[in-house]
Structures are given as C-alpha cells and as structure tokens.
Amino acid sequence: MSRNILSRRSFLSAAAAVPFASALAKSKNAQIGLELYSVRNEMQKDLMGTVRAVAKMGYDCVEFYGPYFGWTTDYAKQVRALLDELNIKCHSTHNGSNSFDPANYQKAIDLNSILGAKYVVMASAGRVEGLAGWNKVAEKLTAGAEAFKKAKLAAGYHNHQAEFKPIDGVRPIEVIAKNTPKSVVLQLDVGTCVEVGQDPVAWINANPGRLKSIHLKEWAPGKGYKVLFGDGAGPWQKIFEAAEKKGGVEFYLIEQEGADTPPLETVDLCLKNYRKMRA
C-alpha cells in the first residue's frame, strides 16, 4: 500500500514538473538580440563591420532601425547575405509611422521579406493628441497589420514613456492593445515603462501572447538610461518569468542609450551580464 502511495506521489510530482520543464525549455529557446540603435554611430560609419562585430559577441539576432527604410532592395539583399554568412537573424525592424502609410506598404513588405523579418514594428507614432489621436494610431496599426498579413508579416508597436502616462485616466498603451488585433505585437520597452513608475510585469501578464519581443532597456534613478543592462531598476527575473510563461516571448533585444564605455564594448558587457543572469 505504502509503495502504491509513494508511486502515485512520484507520478503526480513528475506530472507537476512538466509545465516547469516546458517553461524552462521555452526560456532557453528565447533568443537574445541587439537593437542596433545601441551602436548607431558605428552603424553609420560601417554597417557591415558593425553587424560582424555584434555577431562575433554571440548575439543571436539584430533589429535594424529607421534608416534601413531608405535601403534599396539590392542593398537589403547584401545585408541578408551577410546575416546568412554570420548565422545571425533579423526577426524585426524598427519603423517610423510612415512605414504604415498605404503608399509604403509594399516597400515595408519587400525590405522586411528580404531581411527575413517577421515583425514590422512601429517605433514611433509621431505627435499624437489625446485619446482620439491614439485611437487613430490603433487604426493605422490595424490597417497595416492587414496589409502585412498577406505577405506573412505581422505588425508591432513599440512603446515609450508617453504610452504609459494616463490621459483622462486611460493609458494610451491600453488604447493600442484594446483597439488592435491580437496579432499586433506589443513590443515592450522596459526602461521607459519603469522610468514613469509603471509595472512591466503586470503589463505582460495582462496581455498574454502579445509580447513576442521585449527591449531589455535598463533605467536607474540618477543615471537614467546610461547604465549597463542588469545594473539598474528593472525587475528582470520577474520580467523573464512573466514573458516566458505568459507573454509568448520569442526573442529579447538589448537596447542601450549610452554608458561610460564605448558603444561596442557596452553592448558586449550587456550581453555578458544577460548570460550571467540567465545561467
């Protein structure tokens, strides 16, 4: 009898461990990348050399930002060839709102498809007035999402401080989330969220499956964003747990706005801090 009870307990214990094991496996599969805005000066001087340097550090993926939208398709193919050579991916791009203008849909589709990206992320909505303005942003995202869907691309939105500051008791980021399809990725910028006193973990948990990528931007009182990843106020372990259990994260992107070390050294140190934190 005691053997049967023990056996049953062992079975239940093993069964209970399955979700944890699945979450752990998912955690290890979430890639770590770099938002290339972090090394923007180097990118302007030597894009190919900078991407090589980032790949050599051990980053799994990169996110190209604004200026990429001025590339020709021929140049985008050269960049893609480099990515393939280095075995590094581009899962998403950072875009101005102009990428979501109907006249620019095809260009966004062409460039992102060449790069192998999955997500076209609106990184700035421009000047927005009131909640009515944010509703228009949501409409633009929704229309873009429908257009990109035909090319097997998804739309995304990247927040800054403004989206987490309430207007008439409502945060603009809630307007975005409520009035866009669930296929629209809510790319969380952790640093700006923390800076304005909001809870990134609560936001992740409130939007299951929509946090496909998260910007690991650090922030600290008195230092602002000029602090290495892991050395600021971000509740990272809680963020990782929420992102991997509920948020649906596929990849993280370190984003750095400056530090006491040169940019390439800084993003290398940030990656090392990330690896230590996830060990």
Side-chain angles (χ1 to χ4, degrees):
M1 181 73 169
S2 61
R3 249 193 312 246
N4 289 338
I5 292 172
L6 187 59
S7 175
R8 183 171 181 274
R9 283 178 180 168
S10 298
F11 170 80
L12 291 173
S13 177
V18 170
F20 176 77
S22 298
L24 184 61
K26 191 172 183 180
S27 163
K28 289 182 177 178
N29 289 335
Q31 294 190 338
I32 179 65
L34 180 68
E35 162 53 59
L36 289 169
Y37 182 77
S38 306
V39 287
R40 52 198 172 277
N41 292 333
E42 287 71 16
M43 287 286 287
Q44 289 174 5
K45 296 172 188 173
D46 181 5
L47 184 147
M48 300 291 192
T50 302
V51 173
R52 282 187 181 280
V54 169
K56 189 175 180 180
M57 292 173 195
Y59 280 98
D60 300 314
C61 54
V62 292
E63 184 173 72
F64 291 99
Y65 62 102
Y68 96 93
F69 205 67
W71 296 352
T72 63
T73 53
D74 284 342
Y75 186 72
K77 289 174 183 176
Q78 292 177 44
V79 174
R80 174 60 187 271
L82 176 68
L83 297 177
D84 291 344
E85 175 196 333
L86 299 172
N87 195 28
I88 191 169
K89 304 294 183 181
C90 170
H91 297 306
S92 59
T93 57
H94 249 205
N95 297 263
S97 64
N98 64 312
S99 295
F100 287 75
D101 291 340
N104 290 328
Y105 285 164
Q106 193 58 51
K107 184 170 187 179
I109 288 169
D110 290 345
L111 291 176
N112 280 273
S113 297
I114 290 168
L115 292 171
K118 296 167 63 179
Y119 305 111
V120 184
V121 180
M122 186 188 292
S124 172
R127 186 181 178 88
V128 182
E129 297 289 345
L131 292 177
W134 286 106
N135 271 296
K136 288 185 181 300
V137 174
E139 289 173 7
K140 192 168 189 176
L141 279 165
T142 299
E146 188 62 29
F148 299 148
K149 183 179 178 181
K150 297 170 186 175
K152 298 183 179 179
L153 293 166
Y157 188 80
H158 177 96
N159 70 272
H160 292 91
Q161 296 93 330
E163 289 85 342
F164 277 98
K165 293 180 179 178
I167 299 173
D168 297 330
V170 179
R171 297 179 300 179
I173 194 68
E174 294 173 275
V175 175
I176 297 292
K178 182 180 179 181
N179 294 288
T180 55
K182 292 191 185 304
S183 63
V184 173
V185 173
L186 301 172
Q187 188 185 70
L188 176 63
D189 182 322
V190 173
T192 55
C193 177
V194 171
E195 182 188 11
V196 294
Q198 297 291 311
D199 183 353
V201 177
W203 178 247
I204 294 168
N205 287 330
N207 294 278
R210 296 191 69 176
L211 283 293
K212 302 295 186 187
S213 75
I214 295 178
H215 272 223
L216 308 185
K217 186 193 286 182
E218 190 65 275
W219 180 86
K223 291 187 176 180
Y225 300 111
K226 295 186 182 298
V227 58
L228 293 176
F229 171 74
D231 292 344
W236 297 111
Q237 295 299 351
K238 291 180 180 179
I239 287 171
F240 294 142
E241 182 178 9
E244 290 155 18
K245 286 186 176 179
K246 203 160 185 179
V249 71
E250 295 173 1
F251 57 100
Y252 298 108
L253 293 162
I254 285 174
E255 183 183 355
Q256 196 68 28
E257 292 201 10
D260 295 331
T261 48
L264 284 171
E265 184 180 345
T266 295
V267 297
D268 189 30
L269 290 170
C270 286
L271 179 59
K272 287 174 179 174
N273 283 354
Y274 173 85
R275 298 289 191 206
K276 288 176 186 175
M277 196 179 291
R278 305 312 309 273

